[in-house]
Each structure stands twice: as structure tokens, then as C-alpha cells.
Amino acid sequence: MFKKLIINITKHETRVALLEDGTIAELFIERKDEEVIAGNIYKGRVQRVLPGMQAAFIDIGLKQAAFIYVNDVNANDFQEFEKLFIKDGEEENPVEDDNNEKAISIIEKPASPIEDLLVEGQDILVQVVKSPIGTKGARVTSYISIPGRFLVLMPTSDHIGISRRIEVEEERLRLKEMVDSLRTEDFGYIVRTAGEGIQREKMVYEMGFLNNLWANIQKKYRGHSAPSLLHQELTVSLRAVRDLLTHEVDQVIIDSREGYESVLSFLETLMPSRKDSVALYEGSEPIFDAYNLEGDISRALKKKVWLKSGGYIVIEHTEALVAIDVNTGRYVGKHNLEETILKTNLEAVKEIAYQIRLRDIGGIIIIDFIDMAKKANQEKVFNALRESMEKDKSKTHILPISEIGLIQMTRKRIRKSINSMLCEPCHYCDGEGQILSKQTICYNIYREVLRLSQDVTGSRLTLHVNPVIAELLHGEERQIISALERLMGNQIVIYPNADYHMEQFNLFETLNN
């Protein structure tokens, strides 16, 4: 599979698209007024400790206070940090994400309550795990991890881990022994996927670079007052180059001369051999148009996504979860109902996995597949979904199909989804997704006039409404106005007002001269 990184850089926004065989698979967006802060390290100050929530609010200098859970508070008498990287007995396989997500899991039972670990006014070194999303502040941890090209440094641990994507046991053992023999401090390290086959000299250099970086962070911590930024993560374009260029991406194409030079300078330090893989785009057509990406991005914002067979899926975002519904649509099949349903569900599985990754949907996801009578077909769909999600670097957990045909899954959320990044609630419907029907509005007007009829003393009423409603009241719903005039014995004059919301109307009483 041939992969490219297409990078579009402007003064106000940077967009990075990962293409797999010419099709956009992932999209990363960073804006000047909404920079992604995941990975940043701060000297914060405890604002408030919440024993009932076993969490605390930390002031890190942003508009919204960050929050930290008790499981993310590092203390000398806390549980051994290595347990953060042990799951199901797999000590040698820590959670590792090549997109620079935090390699941290949650400890099930903290050793101490949070009120014994933190007090208000206390200074604390924290790293952002999740950027602010909506009304939620950033989530932080005091377990620091600093990613490099080949290694992730964990200065608050002494655990050595190897990426799960490095599968050859001999290579895993070689890397672990190399790291163990080279480290001069009791620091923990994770060897990233890009570290496969790395030679000793490069490992020494990267260890020294990360250790010096940590020493500088500690020095800044001692010399700065809280709240203050001590270490800033790379820009989205440099992160993509660092995390994807060696093992996954074959070519990087950038449309900005300044961005191009920045990437080359970055590679000169980390991967000089890959500088030839970077190209400057100098075409007259915008780079995302040249690679036909704008249409795919626009479709990624639509609720309904059509399948090739004629079926479709509907993706609905709610406050608590994302619901995905599968429908046969125009597809009628060829032989029998069960076969038609199975084919639609299997086709939907591939599109769902693609859309989840492209839209960067996180949190709880509920998928409502078309009901299948045969247990074997349910297993096919479930296994197909698990297989399709294997390309996704974000951590996912998928439960088998329930008795009512639902699949429940979770996907680790680090940043805003594409939908929340590019869209905002409709100012017209206030994010409800629908407004009252025109007929309902007319009937509401009828009832409101009846309520006011007892107090009307003038000879006529003036009704101000949206032009669409005015046209309806003069036409199809004219009987409403006629009935009111007969009942009240007053004339009703309708005035259209283009500034009115569809549901808005006002009644005024007019006296005779």
C-alpha cells in the first residue's frame, strides 16, 4: 500500500491528510486559535480537590481549568508505575501509539485517595493527555512521557517496553537488552515501531536527546512560577512526519516553502536519509483540490453516507455517544432476505471503520446493524469489524453483537473530531437538527390568537411572521385566519418580516383612527 502525507499550510490553518493508495484515510487539522495542546507539559497549580469525584482541577494557564483523576497522580508511595503498561499479563507489550497519543492506561484501584495526594495551592508538573473538548477542560496526568522518533521516555518509571507492532521475538529481545544496557538513569523507555532494526549509535543519540530534554523541563519547572508552559509538542505537520514517515509513509508533499524548509530542517536532525522523500508542491491548483480531497472532507461531515450497493449508514453525534445506523436503502438483493442483509452489513462494516478513522470519532460508539437471524452471520459481521479496525492506531474495544443487533465499542479520544473541529451548532435550530413544521407553526399562531382574544379591543390585529409562514397563511392555511376573524369579529392583517426566525411571530392590536 502506497502512502502519502499531503500537507496544506496557511497562516491561519494547517491540514495534514494521510492518503492510502490515493484515498484519504486520516485528517489532522491545527488552527492558530485552537492549537492542539495534547503532549504539552505545564507547571500547574491545584485549584480545587474534589474527594467525591476523586479528581482535582489544575490551573495550567488556559481559559478552562484542566482536570486530573486520582489514577493519574504520581506519588512516591503510589502503585508501581510499571502497572500502567501491563494489561492481561502482557508486560512486554505496552500500549503504544505512533500518533503520539499518551501511552498510559488507567489503574483500577488507586493506592491513596486524592485528598491525601494533592492540596489546594500545590504546584504540580503535568502533561496534557486530552485537549479541551467543548465545555470540558484538558485532561492531564503527572506521569510524563516524552516521545522521540524511536523511543518514548518515561522519566517517572523504570519500565522498558517494546511496541506491539514489532513482532519478531529476537528483535524485541535485542531492543530491550540494548535499552537496558544504554540507560544511565532509572528512566523507563518504550521502543516505538520506528525503532525496529535501529543501531546502537542512533539509540545512544536519541536517549541523550530525550534525557537532555527532560533535564531542561525540570530546570524550567524550578525557575518558573505556576501556571506556565514548560514544553510544547511539535506542530501537526512535524508530528505527522516524525510518527509516520519511516515505516508508514512513502512520500511527503507540502505546499508551503516555509513549511517545506521546516520539515527538511527537522529531518536533518532525526532522519537525514528521508529528506529525499519530501517534495514541495508548486502547482497553481490548491494542493487538496489537486488530490481530490475537498470532496471527501465535505462528505465526512454528512450524516448520511451511501454505500455502493445502494444501502447507507447514518452517523448521529449525541452528547454521550455516537450512534451509527445501517439501512438497506435502495438495495433489494438477488436471492433471499438474509443474504441481502448480510451483504449490506458487511459492506457497511468497511465504510463504518473508514468513517470512524477519517472523522476521528472517539468515546462510546453504538452501531445498529440490520437484524440477522443466523448466529453465524452475526459472527461474520463482528469479526469483519474487528479486522477493519486493525488499521486504526487509536485504541478500540469492541463487544460482540447483542441480542437486539447492536455492537458497542469504544475508541480512545485525544482531540476534537473532524465534525466538532469544522462545524458549530446551527444558529437557526440551535443545534437541535430540526425546527417546527410550517403547519405546526400556523396552528401555534391560531392557539396564541385565541388566548389573546379576550383582551382584544381594537378593530384589527397585525400579525408579523416569517415570509414563508405569511405565504402559507395567505394560501393553504387561509382557513385558519378566516376562522379567527369570524370568531373574534376582528380583521387580521399579516405582515411578512424577513428578519424573523421561521418559528417567530408577534401580534399587535391596532385601533381605528
Side-chain angles (χ1 to χ4, degrees), residues 28-244:
F28 309 97
I29 300 174
E30 188 171 272
R31 292 175 173 169
K32 293 300 182 183
D33 58 342
E34 287 187 356
E35 289 185 281
V36 177
I37 64 170
N40 286 1
I41 299 175
Y42 295 85
K43 181 176 184 177
R45 180 161 292 157
V46 179
Q47 275 188 338
R48 188 180 175 195
V49 179
L50 306 172
M53 297 287 292
Q54 282 301 292
F57 287 112
I58 311 294
D59 179 14
I60 59 174
L62 303 181
K63 291 181 180 178
Q64 295 171 301
F67 63 95
I68 187 169
Y69 290 119
V70 64
N71 296 331
D72 291 322
V73 179
N74 182 20
N76 292 332
D77 60 349
F78 207 42
Q79 292 185 16
E80 294 180 5
F81 185 67
E82 293 93 308
K83 292 182 181 179
L84 290 174
F85 297 93
I86 302 173
K87 186 173 182 180
D88 300 329
E90 298 181 359
E91 289 194 37
E92 302 302 324
N93 292 308
V95 177
E96 189 263 1
D97 191 299
D98 284 340
N99 273 338
N100 192 28
E101 292 180 5
K102 298 289 295 173
I104 291 180
S105 302
I106 295 177
I107 299 174
E108 293 183 359
K109 294 181 180 180
S112 305
I114 197 162
E115 58 268 30
D116 291 344
L117 301 173
L118 298 177
V119 295
E120 293 183 11
Q122 172 185 342
D123 289 346
I124 182 173
L125 181 70
V126 294
Q127 185 170 30
V128 177
V129 179
K130 291 182 181 179
S131 297
I133 299 176
T135 59
K136 295 181 178 179
R139 178 177 170 182
V140 297
T141 178
S142 61
Y143 293 112
I144 308 300
S145 66
I146 306 173
R149 179 63 198 131
F150 306 110
L151 296 170
V152 176
L153 168 65
M154 302 177 297
T156 51
S157 165
D158 64 356
H159 176 81
I160 299 175
I162 311 297
S163 167
R164 291 178 179 175
R165 294 174 182 264
I166 301 176
E167 299 178 349
V168 179
E169 192 59 37
E170 291 79 6
E171 176 65 3
R172 295 174 63 84
L173 182 60
R174 182 187 78 87
L175 291 171
K176 184 171 183 179
E177 290 176 347
M178 183 189 300
V179 172
D180 192 33
S181 64
L182 291 177
R183 61 177 178 172
T184 57
E185 304 282 350
D186 290 332
F187 294 159
Y189 296 91
I190 293 177
V191 180
R192 307 186 72 179
T193 307
E196 186 172 9
I198 188 175
Q199 298 305 308
R200 190 178 183 90
E201 294 76 15
K202 288 186 177 181
M203 184 77 78
V204 170
Y205 175 82
E206 177 134 331
M207 270 191 176
F209 173 79
L210 292 175
N211 290 351
N212 288 336
L213 187 57
W214 171 239
N216 288 334
I217 292 171
Q218 289 179 300
K219 183 178 179 180
K220 288 181 180 179
Y221 181 84
R222 291 189 293 268
H224 289 65
S225 59
S228 59
L229 174 64
L230 305 181
H231 171 72
Q232 188 166 17
E233 180 56 299
L234 298 173
T235 63
V236 64
S237 54
L238 294 183
R239 285 201 309 271
V241 169
R242 178 194 66 193
D243 296 334
L244 298 174

Side-chain angles (χ1 to χ4, degrees), residues 335-342 345-346 369-382 401-403 405:
H335 298 94
N336 59 64
L337 178 61
E338 183 73 9
E339 182 184 285
T340 301
I341 291 173
L342 176 61
N345 282 339
L346 289 175
F369 286 103
I370 306 170
D371 290 341
M372 294 167 285
K374 296 181 180 179
K375 190 72 174 176
N377 289 341
Q378 294 180 8
E379 288 295 324
K380 286 181 182 179
V381 171
F382 172 68
I401 295 181
S402 68
E403 294 181 358

